[in-house]
Amino acid sequence: MMQESGIEATSNGPASQNRAASVEDGSRDARPKSATSVDVMAADLIHLQQQQALQVARQILLQQQQQQQQQQQQLQLQQGTDLKSPKDNENQPSLQVPVSVAMMTPQVITPQQMQQILQQQVLSPQQLQVLLQQQQALMLQQQLQEFYKKQQEQLHLQLLQQQHAGKQSKEQQQQAQQLAFQQQLMQVQQLQQQHLLNLQRQGLLTIQPGQTALPLHSLTQGINPAELQQLWKEVTNLKEENSNNSNGRRGLDLSSPQLPKKPLLNQHASTNGQYMSHSLKREGSTLDDYQHSHHSHPLYGHGVCKWPGCEAVFEDFQSFLKHLNNEHALDDRSTAQCRVQMQVVQQLELQLAKDKERLQAMMTHLHVKSTEPKPTPQPLNLVSSVTLSKTAPHEASPPLSLPQTPTTPTAPLTPLSQAHSVITPNSIHHSVGPMRRRYSDKYNMPISPDIVQNKEFYMNAEVRPPFTYASLIRQGILESPEKQLTLNEIYNWFTRMFAYFRRNAATWKNAVRHNLSLHKCFVRVENVKGAVWTASMAENNIPLYTTASIGSPTLNSLANAIREEMIGAMDHGNSNGSDSSPGRSPLPAMHHIKEEPLDPEDHEGPLSLVTTANHSPDFDHHRDYDDDQGHDDML
DNA sequence: GAGTAGATAAACAGTA
DNA sequence: ATACTGTTTATCTACT
């Protein structure tokens, strides 16, 4: 929690400001057309920004092309290759060509201009969003460029070492290099995928064409520089391979060897998956397809042969073609290389498919939530159903494996799991309280199914479940056949059900113990084996539905929550699903009631909750305990 | 700003 | 002695 708070604070505050600030210098000079920026029409401003981004990208491209050429030439010279490289390049400081940041900063908006834009409200929120994204994109480029420079130095050192150490023939070196590159490529691509997901999550990338933009505030969440650095290191180690897909693109092509694909921002209107698919498609095309255009050959870019492990430099395309036919003709080596590349592509496609699927599920899931000020479970269920149906083939603890509400239109899980369901998702819905700091109160009510329906997600993703410790503990206890768990079993449940709790054990275990002791709803019962913890029905509901947790629940919703909770618990205990409690509403009816928007003025829930829930027959042996101690803590 | 709730850390004691 | 368990207190943050 602390860490996340810190992250949020960082990303929302100074980080983004710093980015904006560092971009500003000299922007006026580079934007002659927007000298009267205040009066510029919003559309024009957007257009200008796009043009600026293009210019920046091109500049970076040019600069880095030069760098790369120099590097390639030096490499070839060191390795004894017979490629002719301009002599004058040898005399240059080679890899250390500093890229003047000032050259690119003029492309960006000054804070003053941004301030004016904001103050005069000449832009719609959407336009502002685009604007911010572009600004962030530029900053990202700057960061990446710095990393690239560093990495170039490292690469240079590595090459020097290679030269000294290697008595191998040129061919051996190339093959060894290629193998290493291929291996690293896999890692890099995975990193890129993950990073793209991160960027998308942070709103730096367009998620889906046609999909509504992410909240504006998400744009202010910066990219972790360390993250970028690590990624960039990986990428630059394989810049040649990675650049295969990007050569020949026109306009703002940030996927050049010096610029990883991640910075592809909204102006491209392309998602990661789409872009990758496109790239892979191109890669899979026949060579002849690219012979027509000298600038679109995937094996030729920036004057360098992009054949894996080759890196030969050519002054013109014809020379490259000659080299291609001579050096990379149909032979054993080329065939083997091609085979390796095919495997790489296959792996990438597999990975891409997985990540795309995951991304889609995540975005759908988050999108539904973020666009539901007064959420109703139906959409969430639908989304979650899709998510689980795709990602979760298995099954585990009976209670949680049933994530399906009667209102869920689709049937994502196996009938078996549903047949074994004991606690209905709706009961869980209200039994699992939200962690207030994860969700604003308005969103608390509908996230309870989240824990169930996104069970697979929480099991596999290190995402903190947005529920309180108390609610999670109670959930774990109620899921157990005996509705009681030892402390260690509670631990195990946490680690089993939530990937997030597989780390920092000391912290969350302490929190678990703390909550067990703190909340009266958790009752310690001495057993033959030792002590077990049970959760009383009455108190269980309270911490989860305090006004602080759920905002301002209506009495109806709270009462129904309790009833559902009880029904779920009794279903669990009786395993016949029958509702022995008179006067309870049928489940479907309760769903509707529960899902109604909360009434901010109806606010006295907790007390009524306790009185209602105290009649749980399954917890008679705790009732006295609860009655004695029940209300003080939770109310 | 006050009050509240949750998260986190930590001290401490009892027990196996 | 050590680790685990359980209790309690304190502090911080977020929210109302």
Side-chain angles (χ1 to χ4, degrees):
Chain A
M1 209 283 281
M2 299 286 286
Q3 303 92 335
E4 293 179 5
S5 299
I7 292 172
E8 291 169 5
T10 302
S11 56
N12 289 330
S16 57
Q17 293 173 2
N18 291 339
R19 281 192 299 275
S22 57
V23 171
E24 69 200 20
D25 296 335
S27 63
R28 308 159 202 90
D29 299 337
R31 300 175 63 244
K33 292 181 182 178
S34 61
T36 57
S37 60
V38 178
D39 300 327
V40 168
M41 295 293 290
D44 292 338
L45 192 53
I46 295 297
H47 180 69
L48 280 173
Q49 289 303 304
Q50 290 172 345
Q51 294 300 320
Q52 291 166 5
L54 276 169
Q55 292 173 9
V56 171
R58 284 170 181 152
Q59 277 193 358
I60 296 172
L61 218 55
L62 284 174
Q63 295 162 3
Q64 293 174 342
Q65 279 177 13
Q66 294 172 0
Q67 287 181 349
Q68 192 190 24
Q69 283 188 354
Q70 292 161 3
Q71 177 185 349
Q72 298 299 336
Q73 289 158 2
Q74 183 157 356
L75 164 64
Q76 286 150 9
L77 287 173
Q78 290 168 351
Q79 291 184 340
T81 55
D82 55 351
L83 299 170
K84 345 76 174 147
S85 58
K87 301 277 184 184
D88 50 350
N89 281 339
E90 297 181 24
N91 299 329
Q92 293 186 4
S94 69
L95 306 176
Q96 313 302 332
V97 178
V99 178
S100 172
V101 178
M103 291 182 64
M104 40 191 299
T105 48
Q107 309 294 330
V108 203
I109 299 178
T110 68
Q112 292 78 12
Q113 290 170 332
M114 183 64 81
Q115 187 84 15
Q116 288 175 333
I117 294 170
L118 292 173
Q119 287 177 352
Q120 303 199 3
Q121 297 179 345
V122 295
L123 298 181
S124 70
Q126 290 76 17
Q127 290 167 333
L128 281 173
Q129 179 175 346
V130 172
L131 199 57
L132 285 171
Q133 287 172 338
Q134 289 171 349
Q135 295 295 310
Q136 266 195 320
L138 298 178
M139 279 311 302
L140 197 59
Q141 294 168 22
Q142 292 176 356
Q143 291 177 348
L144 289 171
Q145 196 168 13
E146 289 183 4
F147 292 137
Y148 173 72
K149 285 190 294 182
K150 293 178 183 174
Q151 189 58 29
Q152 275 199 324
E153 297 177 17
Q154 294 183 7
L155 185 60
H156 181 52
L157 289 175
Q158 289 175 359
L159 291 173
L160 284 174
Q161 292 172 357
Q162 215 175 36
Q163 181 190 16
H164 291 302
K167 303 241 171 180
Q168 303 169 320
S169 68
K170 177 183 71 178
E171 191 171 354
Q172 284 173 330
Q173 287 184 3
Q174 284 183 346
Q175 288 178 346
Q177 270 189 335
Q178 178 194 346
L179 282 178
F181 282 156
Q182 297 290 356
Q183 291 174 352
Q184 292 180 5
L185 176 60
M186 300 297 297
Q187 302 172 0
V188 170
Q189 296 287 1
Q190 289 183 2
L191 274 174
Q192 289 178 339
Q193 291 283 329
Q194 293 176 3
H195 198 72
L196 277 165
L197 286 177
N198 289 338
L199 289 177
Q200 289 172 337
R201 201 178 307 148
Q202 293 168 358
L204 290 176
L205 281 178
T206 302
I207 300 311
Q208 283 285 334
Q211 176 160 2
T212 57
L214 292 174
L216 189 60
H217 65 79
S218 65
L219 298 174
T220 62
Q221 297 180 2
I223 298 174
N224 187 354
E227 203 177 325
L228 274 174
Q229 188 166 12
Q230 182 182 356
L231 178 67
W232 187 241
K233 284 178 181 177
E234 299 283 348
V235 171
T236 48
N237 283 339
L238 274 178
K239 58 185 186 304
E240 295 307 318
E241 280 75 5
N242 288 334
S243 66
N244 283 351
N245 299 334
S246 63
N247 296 327
R249 279 226 178 70
R250 306 184 63 175
L252 180 55
D253 188 353
L254 300 180
S255 59
S256 65
Q258 290 76 15
L259 293 174
K261 301 173 182 61
K262 286 142 298 302
L264 284 173
L265 301 175
N266 282 22
Q267 53 261 43
H268 298 273
S270 66
T271 64
N272 168 34
Q274 290 171 332
Y275 180 84
M276 292 299 291
S277 297
H278 178 63
S279 302
L280 294 174
K281 236 181 278 178
R282 294 187 53 155
E283 211 164 353
S285 302
T286 61
L287 204 64
D288 291 337
D289 294 341
Y290 302 96
Q291 304 283 345
H292 305 294
S293 170
H294 294 181
H295 302 290
S296 65
H297 200 296
L299 292 174
Y300 182 68
H302 309 313
V304 177
C305 175
K306 300 299 181 182
W307 189 276
C310 179
E311 302 179 350
V313 177
F314 302 96
E315 293 180 351
D316 54 56
F317 186 72
Q318 293 303 324
S319 303
F320 160 74
L321 283 181
K322 192 176 178 180
H323 157 83
L324 190 64
N325 292 328
N326 292 336
E327 300 295 327
H328 306 304
L330 180 59
D331 55 14
D332 290 345
R333 193 184 70 170
S334 296
T335 304
Q337 290 173 330
C338 201
R339 213 173 287 133
V340 171
Q341 188 68 19
M342 284 175 62
Q343 292 178 351
V344 169
V345 171
Q346 285 180 354
Q347 286 296 322
L348 288 174
E349 285 174 336
L350 268 175
Q351 181 70 25
L352 173 64
K354 286 181 181 177
D355 280 331
K356 281 176 71 176
E357 191 174 290
R358 188 182 306 172
L359 171 65
Q360 185 58 46
M362 291 169 64
M363 292 313 303
T364 309
H365 171 70
L366 294 178
H367 177 67
V368 169
K369 274 185 177 173
S370 62
T371 56
E372 256 189 338
K374 293 182 177 179
T376 57
Q378 277 91 350
L380 183 61
N381 291 343
L382 179 60
V383 171
S384 302
S385 300
V386 174
T387 303
L388 291 181
S389 63
K390 289 180 179 177
T391 59
H394 59 19
E395 90 351 294
S397 57
L400 268 191
S401 57
L402 40 120
Q404 180 129 26
T405 66
T407 56
T408 302
T410 59
L413 294 184
T414 65
L416 182 61
S417 65
Q418 296 182 40
H420 285 82
S421 332
V422 189
I423 299 177
T424 68
N426 289 282
S427 68
I428 294 172
H429 173 125
H430 285 274
S431 65
V432 179
M435 283 185 182
R436 295 187 313 163
R437 291 175 188 174
R438 313 282 156 201
Y439 284 82
S440 108
D441 291 348
K442 300 175 191 171
Y443 302 86
N444 282 340
M445 287 297 277
I447 67 167
S448 295
D450 188 38
I451 188 177
V452 181
Q453 296 177 343
N454 295 312
K455 167 193 165 191
E456 296 295 333
F457 174 73
Y458 291 125
M459 285 178 73
N460 299 316
E462 280 195 14
V463 175
R464 178 169 195 150
F467 309 106
T468 62
Y469 280 111
S471 59
L472 291 175
I473 294 169
R474 193 183 63 91
Q475 178 67 25
I477 291 175
L478 293 180
E479 282 183 6
S480 65
E482 307 288 332
K483 289 192 176 59
Q484 61 181 29
L485 292 175
T486 66
L487 179 65
N488 199 47
E489 288 171 338
I490 294 174
Y491 290 161
N492 293 335
W493 185 85
F494 268 70
T495 54
R496 186 175 69 248
M497 303 307 296
F498 304 97
Y500 177 85
F501 292 118
R502 288 163 201 159
R503 299 191 313 171
N504 302 324
T507 297
W508 65 261
K509 284 181 177 178
N510 185 24
V512 166
R513 293 194 304 272
H514 167 75
N515 276 267
L516 284 171
S517 295
L518 186 66
H519 296 299
K520 299 295 188 297
C521 63
F522 302 118
V523 183
R524 185 175 178 273
V525 178
E526 287 289 345
N527 214 345
V528 180
K529 298 177 182 179
V532 294
W533 289 91
T534 63
S536 71
M537 292 306 297
E539 296 298 334
N540 284 339
N541 296 283
I542 298 172
L544 312 174
Y545 292 97
T546 56
T547 56
S549 294
I550 58 171
S552 305
T554 64
L555 214 54
N556 262 349
S557 62
L558 290 168
N560 282 300
I562 287 299
R563 273 174 277 177
E564 289 171 13
E565 174 66 35
M566 296 172 63
I567 289 172
M570 290 195 307
D571 286 349
H572 195 312
N574 300 335
S575 75
N576 57 6
S578 65
D579 184 1
S580 60
S581 171
R584 284 197 189 117
S585 304
L587 221 51
M590 293 196 299
H591 300 157
H592 297 302
I593 297 173
K594 173 194 65 185
E595 292 153 5
E596 285 175 359
L598 303 179
D599 182 358
E601 298 184 353
D602 209 355
H603 211 335
E604 48 233 344
L607 214 57
S608 60
L609 284 185
V610 174
T611 54
T612 305
N614 271 342
H615 300 293
S616 171
D618 280 15
F619 286 80
D620 280 349
H621 57 294
H622 296 146
R623 199 182 305 156
D624 293 341
Y625 198 99
D626 295 338
D627 288 342
D628 292 339
Q629 309 182 8
H631 306 81
D632 48 30
D633 188 50
M634 301 309 173
L635 304 181

